Amino acid sequence: DRWQGLVCHDANNREPSGRLRLSVPQPDPGPDIAMLKRFMADLPNPGTLEQLKREAQGILSPDVFDGARFEFNKTLSPKFALNHNVFLGSAQMPASYEFGANFGDERVLIASRVDMGGRLNGRINAQFGESFAARLQAQASPESPGQMQSLKADLDYKGSTCCAGATYMGGGLLGANLMQSITPWLAVGGEGFYHTQKEVKGGAVAARAQWGHKGEHVATAKAGSFGNVELSYQRKVSDKVGLATEMQYYHNQFCNFGVGYEFRLRQATFKGLIQSDTTCSASLEERINPNMNLMLSGQLNHKKKDYKFGFGVVIGAA
């Protein structure tokens, strides 16, 4: 018994004054706390809730556009770069031009873009230490002088086993989210939001599972308070081949389903997507030389008689 001998009455346990010396041993915390610390140290960081299905989304989002597009990127210094985007237009979209300027280092990224209509988009990312980061996005246009057409601010915290964030959007929308790893292959989390002007509130719960010898299987699920459910699954067949599928269900509204694939070759990347509404999309990006990429994209829907074909060239590609 660890508490045996709490008070000893022999002469060796007496002080010079003759009073008894009490010996109270500290209780052994046991191996439970040490095992818990080792277990928590082995848990991975799950990423943010916003990037819950990042692997599947990268395959299920081919770069589809209609018409001809040319991009020219010029690096002026290690921290400053300019880019020009020219879109020649199509039957549905008029021709346009965008000019952008980017500044960035290890801690701060500032990016801006303005088009011929005077619409300005800006983005600022700042890193505060190893755990905290802030993001700010804003858009202004001549239609609303002196006012931000859209505004979004995010504050993110990245721990060793969790990610948390807070969001504010123009108009009075507040939100918070959290993702926590509970096992080496499973993470759970949730989000909530409240609109201060419309007095509308809601939330969602999410789960992410990743397993396999190299983590080649990733499955995610998300359910919201408005009856929306999102499911996704991605499998990395090899270093060059990836497959993904996704389902989106909104109660009494619609249900979408899609299957995508990706092939990464030595000089090219090919992506394809087949959706439940009979839409088929594909994109090809090939590196012609270290400073030039060729892009081809197509999308068709026989049921809606909607067809798109795009051709693009990127000069100064990273």
Side-chain angles (χ1 to χ4, degrees):
D1 189 349
R2 76 174 80 177
W3 301 103
Q4 186 176 3
L6 179 62
V7 180
C8 299
H9 298 281
D10 60 295
N12 295 330
N13 199 43
R14 291 180 177 272
E15 297 180 355
S17 61
R19 293 179 298 179
L20 290 175
R21 182 187 299 114
L22 296 180
S23 177
V24 183
Q26 295 295 326
D28 184 9
D32 296 340
I33 297 179
M35 291 179 60
L36 179 61
K37 290 182 178 180
R38 288 195 300 266
F39 177 76
M40 294 295 291
D42 294 336
L43 295 181
N45 184 282
T48 63
L49 185 63
E50 185 180 4
Q51 300 176 340
L52 179 69
K53 51 182 180 180
R54 51 188 177 271
E55 293 87 356
Q57 199 66 32
I59 298 177
L60 297 170
S61 302
D63 187 7
V64 176
F65 57 96
D66 193 14
R69 187 175 73 186
F70 298 93
E71 300 181 13
F72 177 75
N73 303 312
K74 177 64 175 179
T75 301
L76 301 180
S77 71
K79 296 183 178 181
F80 189 70
L82 301 176
N83 56 75
H84 306 266
N85 297 333
V86 179
F87 181 64
L88 298 185
S90 63
Q92 292 80 19
M93 295 289 294
S96 63
Y97 166 77
E98 289 183 345
F99 170 76
N102 303 325
F103 170 84
D105 55 17
E106 295 80 5
R107 295 295 183 183
V108 178
L109 171 64
I110 303 175
S112 62
R113 181 167 294 186
V114 60
D115 61 11
M116 294 189 302
R119 287 176 289 271
L120 174 65
N121 294 277
R123 176 166 56 96
I124 301 175
N125 294 355
Q127 187 76 29
F128 305 103
E130 299 296 332
S131 300
F132 289 93
R135 296 173 294 162
L136 179 64
Q137 302 180 39
Q139 181 180 12
S141 66
E143 289 81 5
S144 55
Q147 297 180 356
M148 291 293 179
Q149 190 173 1
S150 65
L151 176 66
K152 182 181 180 183
D154 297 276
L155 179 63
D156 300 325
Y157 168 77
K158 181 180 180 181
S160 59
T161 64
C162 68
C163 277
T167 303
Y168 170 79
M169 296 185 66
L173 182 63
L174 303 175
N177 60 82
L178 171 68
M179 283 293 294
Q180 172 68 56
S181 294
I182 57 177
T183 70
W185 58 273
L186 179 63
V188 298
E191 65 177 349
F193 67 87
Y194 176 73
H195 202 292
T196 58
Q197 297 183 1
K198 299 181 180 179
E199 297 185 354
V200 178
K201 58 183 178 180
V205 294
R208 171 186 169 89
Q210 185 171 5
W211 68 96
H213 180 65
K214 297 181 179 180
E216 60 269 18
H217 301 269
V218 180
T220 66
K222 184 178 179 181
S225 57
F226 295 103
N228 56 306
V229 178
E230 299 181 11
L231 304 175
S232 72
Y233 171 73
Q234 182 264 351
R235 181 185 178 187
K236 188 177 181 180
V237 181
S238 66
D239 293 336
K240 298 182 179 180
V241 181
L243 303 174
T245 182
E246 179 185 30
M247 187 194 75
Q248 295 180 340
Y249 171 77
Y250 287 80
H251 186 60
N252 292 332
Q253 297 184 40
F254 65 88
C255 179
N256 288 337
F257 176 80
V259 177
Y261 51 90
E262 179 185 50
F263 295 95
R264 290 185 175 272
L265 306 178
R266 187 172 61 90
Q267 296 285 349
T269 300
F270 180 74
K271 295 181 181 181
L273 175 64
I274 302 175
Q275 296 175 280
S276 56
D277 63 350
T278 70
T279 299
C280 299
S281 307
S283 67
L284 172 67
E285 183 173 358
E286 182 175 0
R287 183 177 293 272
I288 301 176
N289 59 52
N291 294 316
M292 181 178 293
N293 286 3
L294 172 66
M295 298 184 300
L296 297 174
S297 73
Q299 185 179 83
L300 61 89
N301 188 316
H302 290 298
K303 185 177 179 180
K304 299 180 181 179
K305 296 183 179 180
D306 184 18
Y307 309 99
K308 295 179 181 179
F309 175 77
F311 168 81
V313 175
V314 180
I315 301 176

Coordinates of all heavy atoms in Angstrom, one line a residue, residues 190-228:
G190 N -16.5 21.0 -36.5 CA -17.8 21.7 -36.7 C -17.6 23.2 -36.9 O -16.5 23.7 -36.7
E191 N -18.7 23.8 -37.3 CA -18.7 25.2 -37.5 C -20.1 25.8 -37.2 O -21.1 25.1 -37.2 CB -18.4 25.6 -39.0 CG -19.4 25.1 -40.0 CD -19.0 25.5 -41.4 OE1 -18.1 26.3 -41.6 OE2 -19.7 25.0 -42.3
G192 N -20.1 27.1 -36.9 CA -21.3 27.8 -36.6 C -21.2 29.2 -37.1 O -20.2 29.8 -37.3
F193 N -22.4 29.8 -37.4 CA -22.4 31.2 -37.9 C -23.7 31.8 -37.4 O -24.7 31.2 -37.1 CB -22.4 31.2 -39.5 CG -23.6 30.6 -40.2 CD1 -24.7 31.4 -40.4 CD2 -23.7 29.3 -40.5 CE1 -25.8 30.9 -41.0 CE2 -24.8 28.8 -41.1 CZ -25.9 29.6 -41.4
Y194 N -23.6 33.2 -37.4 CA -24.7 34.0 -37.0 C -24.7 35.3 -37.8 O -23.7 35.9 -37.9 CB -24.6 34.3 -35.5 CG -25.7 35.2 -35.0 CD1 -27.0 34.8 -34.9 CD2 -25.4 36.6 -34.7 CE1 -28.0 35.6 -34.5 CE2 -26.4 37.4 -34.3 CZ -27.7 37.0 -34.1 OH -28.7 37.8 -33.7
H195 N -25.9 35.6 -38.4 CA -26.0 36.9 -39.2 C -26.6 37.9 -38.3 O -27.8 37.7 -37.8 CB -26.9 36.6 -40.4 CG -26.6 37.6 -41.5 ND1 -27.0 39.0 -41.4 CD2 -26.1 37.5 -42.7 CE1 -26.7 39.6 -42.4 NE2 -26.1 38.8 -43.3
T196 N -25.9 39.0 -38.0 CA -26.4 39.9 -37.0 C -27.5 40.8 -37.5 O -28.4 41.2 -36.7 CB -25.2 40.9 -36.6 OG1 -24.7 41.5 -37.8 CG2 -24.1 40.1 -36.0
Q197 N -27.6 41.0 -38.8 CA -28.7 41.8 -39.3 C -30.0 41.0 -39.6 O -31.1 41.4 -39.2 CB -28.3 42.5 -40.6 CG -27.1 43.5 -40.4 CD -26.7 44.2 -41.7 OE1 -27.3 44.0 -42.7 NE2 -25.7 45.0 -41.6
K198 N -29.8 39.8 -40.2 CA -31.0 39.0 -40.5 C -31.4 38.1 -39.3 O -32.4 37.4 -39.4 CB -30.7 38.1 -41.7 CG -30.5 39.0 -42.9 CD -30.2 38.1 -44.2 CE -30.0 38.9 -45.4 NZ -29.7 38.0 -46.6
E199 N -30.5 38.0 -38.3 CA -30.7 37.2 -37.1 C -31.0 35.7 -37.5 O -31.9 35.0 -37.0 CB -31.9 37.7 -36.3 CG -31.7 39.1 -35.7 CD -32.8 39.5 -34.8 OE1 -33.8 38.8 -34.7 OE2 -32.6 40.6 -34.1
V200 N -30.1 35.2 -38.4 CA -30.1 33.8 -38.8 C -28.9 33.1 -38.3 O -27.8 33.7 -38.4 CB -30.2 33.8 -40.4 CG1 -30.2 32.3 -40.8 CG2 -31.4 34.4 -40.9
K201 N -29.1 32.0 -37.8 CA -27.9 31.2 -37.2 C -28.0 29.8 -37.7 O -29.1 29.3 -38.1 CB -27.9 31.2 -35.7 CG -29.2 30.7 -35.1 CD -29.1 30.8 -33.6 CE -30.4 30.3 -32.9 NZ -30.4 30.4 -31.4
G202 N -26.9 29.1 -37.8 CA -26.8 27.7 -38.2 C -25.4 27.2 -38.0 O -24.6 27.8 -37.4
G203 N -25.2 25.9 -38.4 CA -24.0 25.3 -38.2 C -23.9 24.0 -38.9 O -24.8 23.6 -39.7
A204 N -22.8 23.3 -38.7 CA -22.5 22.0 -39.4 C -21.5 21.2 -38.6 O -20.7 21.8 -37.8 CB -22.0 22.3 -40.8
V205 N -21.6 19.9 -38.8 CA -20.6 19.0 -38.2 C -19.9 18.3 -39.4 O -20.4 18.1 -40.4 CB -21.2 18.0 -37.3 CG1 -21.8 18.7 -36.0 CG2 -22.3 17.2 -38.0
A206 N -18.6 17.9 -39.1 CA -17.8 17.4 -40.2 C -16.9 16.3 -39.6 O -16.6 16.3 -38.5 CB -17.0 18.4 -40.9
A207 N -16.5 15.4 -40.5 CA -15.6 14.3 -40.2 C -14.7 14.1 -41.4 O -15.1 14.2 -42.5 CB -16.3 13.1 -39.7
R208 N -13.4 13.7 -41.1 CA -12.4 13.4 -42.1 C -11.6 12.2 -41.7 O -11.1 12.1 -40.6 CB -11.5 14.6 -42.3 CG -10.3 14.4 -43.2 CD -9.4 15.6 -43.2 NE -8.1 15.3 -43.9 CZ -7.9 15.4 -45.2 NH1 -8.8 15.9 -46.0 NH2 -6.7 15.2 -45.7
A209 N -11.6 11.2 -42.6 CA -10.8 10.0 -42.3 C -9.8 9.8 -43.5 O -10.1 10.0 -44.6 CB -11.8 8.8 -42.3
Q210 N -8.6 9.5 -43.1 CA -7.5 9.2 -44.0 C -6.8 8.0 -43.6 O -6.3 7.9 -42.4 CB -6.5 10.4 -44.0 CG -5.4 10.3 -45.1 CD -4.6 11.5 -45.3 OE1 -4.8 12.5 -44.5 NE2 -3.7 11.6 -46.2
W211 N -6.7 7.0 -44.5 CA -6.0 5.7 -44.1 C -5.3 5.2 -45.3 O -5.3 5.7 -46.4 CB -7.1 4.7 -43.6 CG -8.1 4.3 -44.7 CD1 -8.0 3.1 -45.5 CD2 -9.2 4.9 -45.2 NE1 -9.0 3.0 -46.3 CE2 -9.8 4.1 -46.2 CE3 -9.9 6.1 -44.8 CZ2 -11.0 4.5 -46.9 CZ3 -11.0 6.5 -45.5 CH2 -11.6 5.6 -46.5
G212 N -4.6 4.1 -45.1 CA -3.8 3.5 -46.1 C -2.3 3.6 -45.7 O -1.9 4.3 -44.8
H213 N -1.5 2.8 -46.4 CA 0.0 2.8 -46.1 C 0.6 4.1 -46.2 O 1.4 4.5 -45.4 CB 0.7 1.8 -47.0 CG 2.1 1.6 -46.8 ND1 2.7 1.1 -45.6 CD2 3.2 2.0 -47.5 CE1 4.0 1.2 -45.6 NE2 4.3 1.7 -46.8
K214 N 0.2 4.9 -47.3 CA 0.7 6.3 -47.5 C -0.4 7.3 -47.4 O -0.2 8.4 -47.9 CB 1.4 6.3 -48.8 CG 2.6 5.4 -49.0 CD 3.3 5.6 -50.3 CE 4.5 4.7 -50.5 NZ 5.2 4.9 -51.8
G215 N -1.5 7.0 -46.7 CA -2.6 7.9 -46.7 C -3.3 8.2 -48.0 O -3.7 9.3 -48.3
E216 N -3.4 7.1 -48.8 CA -3.9 7.3 -50.2 C -5.4 7.3 -50.2 O -6.0 7.6 -51.3 CB -3.4 6.2 -51.1 CG -3.7 4.8 -50.7 CD -2.7 4.2 -49.8 OE1 -1.8 4.9 -49.2 OE2 -2.7 2.9 -49.7
H217 N -6.1 7.0 -49.1 CA -7.5 7.0 -49.1 C -8.0 8.2 -48.2 O -7.5 8.3 -47.0 CB -8.1 5.7 -48.6 CG -7.8 4.5 -49.4 ND1 -8.5 4.1 -50.4 CD2 -6.7 3.7 -49.3 CE1 -8.0 3.0 -50.9 NE2 -6.8 2.7 -50.3
V218 N -8.9 9.0 -48.7 CA -9.4 10.1 -47.9 C -10.9 10.2 -48.1 O -11.4 10.3 -49.2 CB -8.7 11.5 -48.3 CG1 -9.3 12.6 -47.4 CG2 -7.2 11.4 -48.1
A219 N -11.7 10.2 -47.0 CA -13.1 10.3 -47.1 C -13.6 11.4 -46.1 O -13.0 11.5 -45.0 CB -13.8 9.0 -46.7
T220 N -14.5 12.2 -46.6 CA -15.0 13.3 -45.7 C -16.5 13.3 -45.7 O -17.2 12.8 -46.7 CB -14.5 14.7 -46.3 OG1 -15.1 14.9 -47.6 CG2 -13.0 14.7 -46.4
A221 N -17.1 13.9 -44.7 CA -18.5 14.0 -44.6 C -18.8 15.3 -43.8 O -18.1 15.7 -42.9 CB -19.2 12.8 -43.9
K222 N -19.9 16.0 -44.3 CA -20.3 17.2 -43.7 C -21.8 17.3 -43.7 O -22.4 17.2 -44.8 CB -19.6 18.4 -44.4 CG -19.9 19.8 -43.7 CD -19.2 20.9 -44.5 CE -19.5 22.2 -43.8 NZ -18.8 23.3 -44.6
A223 N -22.4 17.7 -42.6 CA -23.9 17.8 -42.5 C -24.2 19.1 -41.9 O -23.7 19.4 -40.8 CB -24.5 16.6 -41.7
G224 N -25.1 19.9 -42.5 CA -25.5 21.2 -42.0 C -26.8 21.3 -41.4 O -27.7 20.3 -41.6
S225 N -27.1 22.3 -40.7 CA -28.4 22.5 -40.0 C -29.5 22.8 -40.9 O -30.7 22.8 -40.5 CB -28.3 23.6 -38.9 OG -27.9 24.8 -39.5
F226 N -29.3 23.1 -42.2 CA -30.3 23.4 -43.2 C -30.6 22.2 -44.1 O -31.2 22.4 -45.1 CB -29.9 24.6 -44.0 CG -29.8 25.9 -43.3 CD1 -28.5 26.4 -42.9 CD2 -30.9 26.6 -42.8 CE1 -28.4 27.6 -42.2 CE2 -30.8 27.8 -42.1 CZ -29.6 28.3 -41.8
G227 N -30.2 21.1 -43.7 CA -30.6 19.9 -44.4 C -29.6 19.6 -45.6 O -30.0 18.8 -46.5
N228 N -28.4 20.1 -45.5 CA -27.4 19.9 -46.6 C -26.4 18.8 -46.1 O -25.9 18.9 -45.0 CB -26.7 21.2 -47.0 CG -26.1 21.9 -45.8 OD1 -26.7 22.1 -44.8 ND2 -24.8 22.2 -45.9

